[in-house]
Amino acid sequence: MKELKLMKGNEAIAEAAIRCGVDGYFGYPITPQSEILEHLMLEEPYKKTGMVVLQAESEIASINMVYAGAACGKKVMTTSSSPGISLMQEGLSYIAGAELPCLVVNVVRGGPGLGTIQPSQSDYFQTTKGGGHGDYRLITLAPASVQEMYDFVELGFDLAFKYRNPVMILSDGAIGQVMEKLEVEDYKPRWTDEYIKKSFPWATTGKNPGEDHAIITSLELDSSKQEQVNIRIQKKYKECEANEVRYEMIDCEDAEYIFVAYGTSARICQKAIQLGREKGIKIGLLRPISLWPFPNKILEEMAGKVKGMLSVEMSAGQMVEDILLATKHKTKVDHFGRLGGIIPTPQEVLNALETKIIGG
Amino acid sequence: MKKEDIIKPENLVYRRTPVLTDNVMHYCPGCGHGTAHRIVAEVIEEMGIQEKTIGIAPVGCSVLAYNYFDVDMQEAAHGRAPALATAVKRLKPDFFVFSYQGDGDLAAIGTGETIHACNRGENITMIFINNGIYGMTGGQMAPTTLEAMKTSTSPYGRELSMMGNPLKITELLAQLPGTCYVTRQAVHTPALVRRCKRAIRQAFENQKENKGVSFVEIVSNCNSGWKMTPVAANKWLEENMLPYYPLGDIKVSK
Ligand SMILES: Cc1ncc(C[n+]2csc(CCOP(=O)(O)OP(=O)(O)O)c2C)c(N)n1
Ligand code: SF4
Ligand SMILES: [Mg+2]
């Protein structure tokens, strides 16, 4: 049964975690996402579903708790904002290296450094290119509404367990803080220990008599074996690229120009499209939902049809590099962004299209 | 007498516990890590909890502990074993959970995780191997390195005004209400091995009663890092380590 609620994006993450049967949440407060831990503590899910909620001593501890919970085959997650996510990079690399499933949410704020608590999209590189040490990727989902904050929790866990890889929801302070209507689903029971033991033989669920013990590690000192581990992981990423690209297209059928934007920027672009079309400029929006794997194919296809693309990001131009790679110089591509926690207005975005792409 | 006449169950005086795997340990001959592994494994065997135990290995010489303990094992990032143990125990409260860490791992890079797991009173067993040095990386100074002790990063001896003081983290942890049993042991003589094993048994038994952290420090040697023969290292341990890190129970809660 579905139910309608009015919630902040951050609360939607917490609500989804409880309702989709998450086993454990480990986190540390940081603006603009502290409502997630607050909402969880308020809801006392340990009484409702048995879900563990723990305020850890740091983001380093949180992500390592997530590592251990995932190693037990449990659905575990953490959330943070940019500086905290930076602290988690070593842990994320270990999780990817040990091939463990988990969900991490980054409600991005402006940087570098302590930066600002206002929304930003400047963690795109960190998220989509790996972030920590070694050759690995984070499957990255970018929600543009409170509903998607909610929906991507369950989707994120599905993908994490399918590929045994960490999944990142890359949100931003605006999506985290804004209140919108959303549909929530009924509480789902958590997985039983029997189900986990049967489904995930790799997990540390207690040694079975007569069988090998389970070992969770990212260490392999023999380089020839470590290379094989890496090759296996890369093969998995190729499958991801083939199967898990997600995007949305708005007003693209007759479009001569395309905005490429995700999250909050995509919402601004929708308004900018309206303003443009009122002036007779045919603009569409291509909204990548999976930032990794990136929607290369559709971008290349669209590049052959339109007169130009503008990457609109609240950053100095990060995703635009991937768009340039995808479109192979088949159309004009430029970037427009505001920095340091400023959200651009629709008019600014339209002006940028006119000066940088149409007139430029 | 033939060999077959001797190898009979009734003549058995010692055997390797099945909670250790057949893998050949990589530890230097004479190193305390191997002995510490053995008695932890024996306790797990004697308590009959092999299938209900999850162990956490550190980064340090005992990083490969997961190859030796025949229980389900997780390998932690450097210093983070107490965070892992916390999550495992919270998510699987009917399991016995132990962490195994060196002094660099537990008392330098992982001090935060150590103190907070102890302060929360996680219902786990923590084994702490204090050999006063970073064994794995080739003998650098550890937080526990003694005054004037020579290491590769204190080549003229640890100078306190410049390098700080050897850290008695075990005494510090005993201050926290979350620890229920805090003890310092050693394994370089047979009598001490037996005593240490009793302490480890206690530290695992406490998990049955949800008492909080049971913490067992083992003052150990690192003959390679100390650049001594195993025999000389044990003598040096007696004469130098034990006066600063005295053996015995530091805290025993009712
Ligand atoms: C983040 C990080 N920093 C540094 C290292 C290098 N490193 C590996 S083991 C170690 C010290 C281990 O010493 P200790 O914990 O005392 O264990 P021992 O080898 O003496 O048993 C260091 C510094 C690492 N693996 N990871
Ligand atoms: S280097 Fe030291 S701690 Fe490591 S195995 Fe050798 S003796 Fe033991
Ligand atoms: Mg050491």
Side-chain angles (χ1 to χ4, degrees):
Chain A
M1 200 192 64
K2 304 224 180 205
E3 204 184 316
L4 271 186
K5 289 199 178 263
L6 181 68
M7 276 191 166
K8 280 189 176 191
N10 287 335
E11 292 164 348
I13 293 275
E15 195 61 31
I18 302 171
R19 286 174 184 260
C20 82
V22 169
D23 295 301
Y25 172 95
F26 306 92
Y28 187 82
I30 182 170
T31 309
Q33 63 81 55
S34 296
E35 293 87 354
I36 301 175
L37 177 56
E38 287 167 355
H39 187 81
L40 285 170
M41 285 298 187
L42 207 62
E43 289 294 315
E44 299 185 300
Y46 29 92
K47 292 183 184 163
K48 282 185 200 145
T49 69
M51 176 183 178
V52 170
V53 185
L54 182 63
Q55 178 168 339
E57 63 270 32
S58 69
E59 290 86 352
I60 298 178
S62 309
I63 193 70
N64 283 285
M65 289 172 182
V66 165
Y67 173 103
C72 293
K74 301 274 185 178
K75 273 190 187 176
V76 286
M77 64 184 287
T78 184
T79 66
S80 188
S81 179
S82 311
I85 297 288
S86 289
L87 274 181
M88 292 184 190
Q89 294 305 323
E90 184 203 35
L92 281 167
S93 167
Y94 274 65
I95 291 171
E99 295 187 77
L100 296 173
C102 75
L103 181 69
V104 179
V105 182
N106 184 358
V107 183
V108 180
R109 57 190 254 181
L114 202 47
T116 165
I117 58 172
Q118 301 302 328
S120 173
Q121 296 181 315
S122 48
D123 295 355
Y124 178 93
F125 281 153
Q126 185 195 52
T127 315
T128 59
K129 309 296 172 190
H133 59 285
D135 271 321
Y136 76 93
R137 296 286 190 164
L138 301 174
I139 300 170
T140 306
L141 301 171
S145 64
V146 172
Q147 184 70 55
E148 282 189 340
M149 288 285 257
Y150 182 92
D151 294 342
F152 288 180
V153 171
E154 188 159 24
L155 172 63
F157 275 110
D158 287 348
L159 294 171
F161 275 88
K162 183 171 174 191
Y163 294 97
R164 278 179 64 186
N165 199 73
V167 170
M168 177 79 83
I169 294 181
L170 191 71
S171 179
D172 63 65
I175 304 284
Q177 293 295 330
V178 74
M179 269 193 149
E180 285 180 337
K181 191 178 70 177
L182 82 156
E183 257 185 13
V184 300
E185 302 204 18
D186 249 354
Y187 294 90
K188 285 191 189 142
R190 295 188 304 116
W191 289 337
T192 62
D193 282 347
E194 294 69 48
Y195 174 82
I196 292 172
K197 203 170 180 75
K198 201 177 70 204
S199 311
F200 313 123
W202 47 265
T204 55
T205 54
K207 180 186 149 80
N208 293 327
E211 289 177 24
D212 283 347
H213 60 151
I215 296 173
I216 299 295
T217 183
S218 58
L219 179 70
E220 178 48 72
L221 290 167
D222 179 340
S223 299
S224 60
K225 287 188 188 157
Q226 183 59 266
E227 186 178 40
Q228 288 311 313
V229 171
N230 270 272
I231 288 171
R232 190 179 67 233
I233 291 175
Q234 292 305 318
K235 202 171 141 234
K236 190 165 83 175
Y237 292 157
K238 283 273 166 292
E239 270 173 51
C240 253
E241 284 172 331
N243 301 322
E244 308 302 344
V245 171
R246 288 170 167 77
Y247 57 86
E248 183 186 20
M249 292 169 85
I250 297 173
D251 295 336
C252 285
E253 302 76 36
D254 63 341
E256 293 178 347
Y257 301 97
I258 296 278
F259 290 132
V260 187
Y262 65 94
T264 292
S265 293
R267 298 282 290 265
I268 309 292
C269 284
Q270 276 174 263
K271 184 72 190 169
I273 289 172
Q274 237 177 26
L275 298 179
R277 284 191 176 255
E278 277 163 21
K279 284 173 75 175
I281 311 171
K282 289 180 184 161
I283 321 171
L285 168 69
L286 198 149
R287 176 171 78 94
I289 294 172
S290 60
L291 297 182
W292 192 89
F294 195 66
N296 292 312
K297 236 184 11 243
I298 184 70
L299 273 163
E300 186 181 356
E301 210 180 293
M302 292 305 292
K305 295 182 188 161
V306 298
K307 295 181 183 163
M309 292 186 181
L310 186 68
S311 179
V312 182
E313 307 167 61
M314 283 137 61
S315 78
Q318 301 191 9
M319 182 174 69
V320 66
E321 293 188 4
D322 286 335
I323 299 170
L324 281 164
L325 278 173
T327 51
K328 298 177 181 155
H329 298 286
K330 289 184 181 169
T331 191
K332 189 170 178 184
V333 173
D334 210 331
H335 160 263
F336 173 72
R338 293 294 306 266
L339 310 177
I342 302 280
I343 302 177
T345 64
Q347 192 58 55
E348 267 181 292
V349 170
L350 181 61
N351 291 350
L353 181 78
E354 288 179 303
T355 53
K356 292 186 166 204
I357 301 289
I358 301 175
Chain B
M1 200 189 264
K2 284 203 301 252
K3 200 169 76 180
E4 287 69 33
D5 297 327
I6 301 169
I7 304 176
K8 285 181 180 157
E10 59 267 30
N11 291 336
L12 186 72
V13 287
Y14 179 77
R15 69 174 170 76
R16 190 177 46 76
T17 164
V19 179
L20 287 179
T21 63
D22 286 334
N23 295 326
V24 177
M25 286 189 186
H26 69 284
Y27 298 115
C28 306
C31 174
H33 271 304
T35 316
H37 281 24
R38 193 191 82 216
I39 54 181
V40 170
E42 285 176 357
V43 164
I44 292 169
E45 181 198 357
E46 286 160 22
M47 288 176 70
I49 55 171
Q50 185 177 16
E51 288 145 34
K52 286 248 138 200
T53 300
I54 295 175
I56 314 292
V59 175
C61 270
S62 45
V63 62
L64 295 175
Y66 57 73
N67 283 336
Y68 308 138
F69 287 109
D70 197 14
V71 298
D72 280 6
M73 294 290 296
Q74 300 184 8
E75 203 283 305
H78 194 19
R80 318 301 170 206
L84 271 66
T86 295
V88 173
K89 188 72 183 193
R90 296 230 176 192
L91 289 160
K92 299 183 82 64
D94 54 334
F95 269 64
F96 291 82
V97 179
F98 76 95
S99 56
Y100 184 107
Q101 299 177 265
D103 38 30
D105 198 76
L106 181 139
I109 195 167
T111 314
E113 285 75 15
T114 300
I115 288 185
H116 285 282
C118 288
N119 196 48
R120 285 189 302 262
E122 300 297 342
N123 188 31
I124 56 174
T125 300
M126 295 175 69
I127 309 286
F128 168 42
I129 307 294
N130 176 8
N131 56 12
I133 204 158
Y134 285 7
M136 186 195 207
T137 38
Q140 294 83 10
M141 186 178 72
T144 46
T145 296
L146 296 175
E147 182 175 11
M149 187 173 163
K150 286 185 179 154
T151 70
S152 65
T153 52
S154 59
Y156 307 108
R158 180 173 193 163
E159 217 240 280
L160 299 191
S161 65
M162 179 183 162
M163 301 164 180
N165 302 282
L167 179 58
K168 293 187 187 182
I169 190 138
T170 305
E171 277 81 353
L172 199 143
L173 298 174
Q175 306 293 311
L176 305 173
T179 52
C180 70
Y181 177 48
V182 179
T183 185
R184 183 180 285 120
Q185 303 287 331
V187 291
H188 59 283
T189 72
L192 288 171
V193 169
R194 279 195 290 274
R195 205 172 90 173
C196 182
K197 187 171 159 185
R198 280 197 296 277
I200 291 172
R201 173 78 187 235
Q202 185 61 53
F204 274 83
E205 291 286 348
N206 287 344
Q207 288 196 40
K208 290 182 183 165
E209 286 162 50
N210 279 311
K211 282 177 148 183
V213 170
S214 296
F215 189 90
V216 183
E217 171 177 343
I218 300 175
V219 180
S220 188
N221 56 17
C222 174
N223 38 287
S224 293
W226 297 355
K227 306 205 181 339
M228 295 175 195
T229 64
V231 174
N234 286 350
K235 185 158 178 284
W236 194 88
L237 184 156
E238 290 261 356
E239 290 170 359
N240 297 277
M241 294 285 278
L242 296 190
Y244 193 80
Y245 300 113
L247 303 184
D249 290 344
I250 298 168
K251 177 180 186 179
V252 185
S253 304
K254 289 274 136 42

